[in-house]
Amino acid sequence: MKRVLSALVLGPAVLLILLAAPPLVGVILVAAINVIAVVEMRKLVAPGESFPTGMAILGAFIMPACAWKGGETGLASGLAASVLILMIAGLVGYRAKGAARGIANGVFVLVFPVWALTHAVLFLGGSQGPIALFYLLLVIWTCDTSAYLFGSAFGKRKLAPTVSPNKSVEGFLAGLVSSLPVSVAFYYLSSLNWSLSFIMAAGLIIAFAGQLGDLVESAIKRGASVKDSGSLIPGHGGILDRIDSLLFAVPVFYYLVQLSRSGF
C-alpha cells in the first residue's frame, strides 16, 4: 500500500513540475535529487571509507547550473570543473594512502548518478523538450510496470540471477514490447515532429537502457549487501531506487535525439 500511495503522490507531482512549472523549477528539482543521490551512492560505494562528500555535493549543484546556462558545453564544463575540484580537495584532504581510492569513488559518483541525471536539464531548454522528457518518463514507467507484472506472472528464466534474482527474461522482453504501444500512442497524440519509426525505435532503446540502469544499480547494491539504497520514499526505498532506470535512459535518449536531428 505504501508503494502505491507514494507512486500516486510522486508521479503527478513530477509531471506537474515538468509540464506546468517554470523550467527553473525542474532544474532545482534535478539538483535536489542529485544531492540525495550522492549521499545514497556514497554509502553504497564507499561504506566506512573516506569520501569527498562535500565536493561531490558541490558538483551536484554545479552541473545542473552549468547545463542550464550552457547546454551540452555547459554540462561538460560543469563535469570537468567538478572533477577538478574534487581531485584537488581529495589530494589536500586525504593521507596519501587513501587519496586515490577516495578520488576514484568521488569521480564515479559525479558521473553516475550526477552527470547522467543532469541530462534531464538539457531537455528543459527546448520548446518541446519537456514533452520529450515526459515521453521518456512514460516509457520508463510503462516498461518497469510491465516487466514487473509480466515477470511475476510468467517469468521462468532468470535474467541476471547473481545481480537481481527476481528479474526474468520474460519480464525484460515484456518491458521492451510495452514501449511500442506507448510510442505509437504518443506519436498520434503529441505535438512532437518525430517520425513513427524514430519514436518506436527510441521507445525500444529507452526501455532497454532503463532496464540496464536498473540492473547496474542492483549490482552496486548487491556489492554493498543492501536491499535498498535508502528509506526516503515509503514502499520504494531510496531516491536511487526510483531513478535507477533513468541513469542510462536519460543521456542515451538525449544523444539519440541529437544524433538523429529530430530535435525538440
Side-chain angles (χ1 to χ4, degrees), residues 35 38-39 42 51-62 82 85-86 89 94 110:
V35 171
V38 164
V39 174
R42 178 256 185 276
F51 183 87
T53 306
M55 296 303 100
I57 289 176
L58 181 61
F61 286 107
I62 288 176
S82 299
I85 291 170
L86 184 143
Y94 291 128
L110 284 177

Side-chain angles (χ1 to χ4, degrees), residues 21-145:
L24 186 58
V25 176
V27 178
I28 294 171
L29 176 63
V30 170
I33 293 174
N34 277 347
V35 171
I36 300 171
V38 164
V39 174
E40 290 184 357
M41 188 66 84
R42 178 256 185 276
K43 294 178 181 178
L44 296 179
V45 301
E49 298 180 12
S50 296
F51 183 87
T53 306
M55 296 303 100
I57 289 176
L58 181 61
F61 286 107
I62 288 176
M63 275 187 261
C66 290
W68 176 241
K69 287 296 183 180
E72 288 180 35
T73 302
L75 177 56
S77 300
L79 175 60
S82 299
V83 170
L84 183 61
I85 291 170
L86 184 143
M87 291 179 67
I88 293 172
L91 291 172
V92 171
Y94 291 128
R95 297 176 180 176
K97 184 177 180 180
R101 186 178 181 88
I103 290 170
N105 286 331
V107 171
F108 174 79
V109 172
L110 284 177
V111 174
F112 187 88
V114 177
W115 173 84
L117 184 63
T118 301
H119 281 80
V121 173
L122 301 179
F123 285 90
L124 301 177
S127 60
Q128 291 190 310
I131 300 296
L133 193 55
F134 170 58
Y135 164 68
L136 180 146
L137 292 173
L138 193 60
V139 171
I140 288 293
W141 291 339
T142 303
C143 174
D144 286 350
T145 302

Side-chain angles (χ1 to χ4, degrees), residues 4-5 40 45 67 92 96 170 239:
V4 174
L5 290 175
E40 290 184 357
V45 301
V92 171
E170 292 81 3
I239 201 73

Side-chain angles (χ1 to χ4, degrees), residues 10-21:
L10 293 176
V14 170
L15 294 181
L16 181 64
I17 291 173
L18 180 62
L19 299 177

Side-chain angles (χ1 to χ4, degrees), residues 144-155:
D144 286 350
T145 302
S146 299
Y148 172 75
L149 294 177
F150 198 89
S152 298
F154 304 105

